[in-house]
Amino acid sequence: MSMLMNNEAALAQLSALTKEALEEKLGKREKAGAITAALYNSDMERRKDILLAKNPAGIIAGLCALSCLTGAKKAEIVSPCVADAAVANGLKAAAEKAGLALTLTEDDFVTKTEHRSDLLVSFEELAAIAEKLAGEEPKALYAVGDGDLAEADPAMTVKAFLESQGDVPEDIKGIAVDHAFCPAGALETVTLGQLASRSGVIRVLTGKDCILDRARKEILSLRKKSCGKCTFCREGLYQLQVNMDAVAAGRGKTTNFEMSQEIAEAMLVSCNCSLGDDAGKPVTTMMEYFRDEAEAHVRRKECKAGACLAFLQIYVDPAKCQGAGECAKVCPVDCIEIKPGYTALIESFDCTRCGKCIDACPNGAIVRTAGKVPRNAETAVRLKNAAAAAAGAADADDDEDDGASRSSARAGAARRHRTLRRPGR
Ligand code: SF4
Ligand code: SF4
Ligand code: SF4
């Protein structure tokens, strides 16, 4: 039976099973006041909510079995999905059939302190219990990127699972899962069961993904969801963000990494829910598996993937530029200098690396690079067909109704008296 299908068989089994029989199938459990079923707070993907809609009988069978084993008097399901009438009705109908007093709570957050005497379980655990009740071996639920959840043998390696779900990119450098990173080299040996992902969502990292940028995004998403009650989670995430932002902005030092690592390690053991437990992982796993790439942002001022804007350079290739100034018309900060008869020149100090000029240039003359700017691109050079280009640029300047042209003109007028040599960067 699939965990993603309504497990009526498990529900039917329950009435025939005594507590002893359940213990034999599922093992003994400690006493609990109530069973609370929810996704982990750190699971931002929320893909496994789908179990509530697809397998309400399995979820209720799991809750009933655990209530019997722990002596719990109450059962609660916490998820934003119960606001959906179809989902709520499916769960209520199954609970009524099993004689379970069920509470549905529309929320996406559960803390250990509020449920101190409860047994907290995930929807996947409940569906797995239902599988066992029906005499089946539960599978692992995983998805690659934005794909659908699929069932797989927990003994399958991560690499084999990725391949089963489609082509694995040649330049794969690892995966991101549950706010942690895992290097490509480990994927051939680590199994899905060992990965034990809470969200089940594996995101593939390639050469185009900057590990520092990914870590910053993970930290930001965790910070947005943190309820702020625990000092380590609240302050720790803030400090991690400040440190990683400094590195991404080109102001970083190796001490930013050292400090972040200490904070992250302390967070792993000091927080009150799964979100805090996972909050340090972007930094700890980045430093464990991708230290060179992360530290290159500090030691060599380099972002290999070209994702951190502070390390990007944008320049005009003099061999391709025709000087007519389409780029300057779209530049939001007026930092492209157009002078009749010369190639365009970007003032890199003011440039925000937005890339609008790249899209606007009809000649593909504007280059974005994570490496060095060629020397011949640091100065505007005289165009071979200077007369024609000067006429083109003058026409653009004369177009008073064109706001973008005005921007070009402003930049030109403000700088007309200045040398065309680029200021120091
Ligand atoms: S660990 Fe974070 S999200 Fe969880 S309860 Fe504490 S402050 Fe809130
Ligand atoms: S749009 Fe391209 S070709 Fe035209 S001036 Fe700008 S860089 Fe040169
Ligand atoms: S990247 Fe953006 S800010 Fe920089 S020169 Fe181009 S348009 Fe202007």
Side-chain angles (χ1 to χ4, degrees):
M1 179 106 199
S2 163
M3 285 161 78
L4 294 165
M5 287 168 70
N6 205 18
N7 198 340
E8 298 273 9
L11 208 53
Q13 286 282 317
L14 275 172
S15 54
L17 291 171
T18 60
K19 185 177 176 185
E20 289 68 34
L22 278 175
E23 281 177 347
E24 206 168 300
K25 271 181 184 274
L26 306 172
K28 289 193 176 182
R29 299 283 180 142
E30 283 182 16
K31 279 197 163 198
I35 314 288
T36 301
L39 293 187
Y40 290 93
N41 290 342
S42 59
D43 181 356
M44 316 285 184
E45 303 274 356
R46 295 209 73 92
R47 298 286 179 85
K48 291 179 182 173
D49 268 334
I50 200 169
L51 288 165
L52 297 180
K54 296 238 177 203
N55 189 5
I59 297 291
I60 297 300
L63 279 173
C64 289
L66 287 179
S67 299
C68 175
L69 288 170
T70 61
K73 297 280 176 277
K74 288 189 235 162
E76 182 183 14
I77 291 176
V78 183
S79 166
C81 289
V82 299
D84 184 322
V87 173
N89 290 339
L91 290 165
K92 282 180 194 162
E96 203 174 322
K97 213 180 207 178
L100 178 77
L102 179 69
T103 306
L104 298 179
T105 304
E106 188 191 331
D107 202 345
D108 68 347
F109 203 85
V110 172
T111 60
K112 288 178 200 163
T113 39
E114 282 163 12
H115 297 271
R116 219 182 286 276
S117 61
D118 299 1
L119 174 63
L120 287 172
V121 286
S122 70
F123 303 146
E124 189 175 9
E125 282 173 79
L126 294 176
I129 288 173
E131 289 289 286
K132 286 184 187 165
L133 290 175
E136 305 275 345
E137 241 347 277
K139 298 275 198 307
L141 285 179
Y142 276 92
V144 180
D146 293 330
D148 292 335
L149 281 176
E151 283 178 296
D153 184 341
M156 194 177 203
T157 64
V158 176
K159 176 119 189 266
F161 177 71
L162 292 178
E163 284 168 351
S164 74
Q165 297 299 300
D167 289 340
V168 180
E170 272 182 21
D171 62 340
I172 180 171
K173 68 178 179 195
I175 56 166
V177 61
D178 292 352
H179 313 289
F181 305 116
C182 180
L187 304 180
E188 284 182 31
T189 50
V190 174
T191 64
L192 295 176
Q194 289 166 334
L195 201 58
S197 167
R198 291 165 167 172
S199 68
V201 179
I202 298 172
R203 296 205 175 263
V204 171
L205 303 174
T206 67
K208 293 191 195 80
D209 295 297
C210 166
I211 203 72
L212 181 79
D213 188 54
R214 292 299 299 243
R216 286 176 65 221
K217 284 178 181 152
E218 296 290 347
I219 291 166
L220 187 63
S221 70
L222 287 157
R223 213 178 145 214
K224 276 186 185 161
K225 198 173 175 192
S226 166
C227 72
K229 283 180 188 157
C230 312
T231 310
F232 264 96
C233 179
R234 184 183 66 244
E235 295 301 320
L237 278 169
Y238 173 71
Q239 290 300 333
L240 292 183
Q241 193 178 348
V242 167
N243 277 289
M244 293 303 108
D245 282 357
V247 175
R251 293 180 274 106
K253 298 187 176 130
T254 47
T255 47
N256 290 109
F257 289 123
E258 287 159 13
M259 204 189 307
S260 300
Q261 219 171 337
E262 275 180 33
I263 294 167
E265 280 162 14
M267 290 167 79
L268 293 178
V269 292
S270 315
C271 293
N272 189 30
C273 80
S274 62
L275 190 143
D277 297 343
D278 282 357
K281 287 183 183 170
V283 170
T284 55
T285 51
M286 174 177 76
M287 296 312 285
E288 187 173 354
Y289 302 118
F290 299 96
R291 179 180 285 268
D292 283 352
E293 186 188 333
E295 288 189 346
H297 290 76
V298 170
R299 296 190 194 280
R300 298 195 292 277
K301 297 289 175 212
E302 170 191 276
C303 172
K304 258 193 181 168
C308 298
L309 296 184
F311 302 100
L312 284 183
Q313 300 291 346
I314 298 217
Y315 67 90
V316 176
D317 180 352
K320 291 185 181 167
C321 179
Q322 298 296 314
E326 287 92 335
C327 50
K329 294 175 189 171
V330 300
C331 178
V333 292
D334 288 351
C335 72
I336 303 178
E337 188 162 332
I338 300 292
K339 184 154 181 174
Y342 286 85
T343 59
L345 184 67
I346 294 174
E347 295 207 20
S348 87
F349 186 78
D350 297 328
C351 172
T352 61
R353 280 77 169 162
C354 71
K356 289 187 178 167
C357 55
I358 298 174
D359 298 335
C361 176
N363 301 317
I366 303 184
V367 182
R368 182 170 14 210
T369 177
K372 287 195 172 154
V373 176
R375 279 184 144 236
N376 69 348
E378 297 214 330
T379 318
V381 295
R382 192 153 177 83
L383 294 165
K384 282 187 190 136
N385 56 346
D395 287 349
D397 279 358
D398 288 345
D399 187 357
E400 292 295 328
D401 294 333
D402 187 335
S405 288
R406 285 201 302 277
S407 122
S408 166
R410 272 202 309 278
R415 295 169 184 139
R416 196 151 291 145
H417 63 286
R418 290 163 47 190
T419 171
L420 282 166
R421 185 161 290 283
R422 199 175 204 183
R425 282 178 292 112

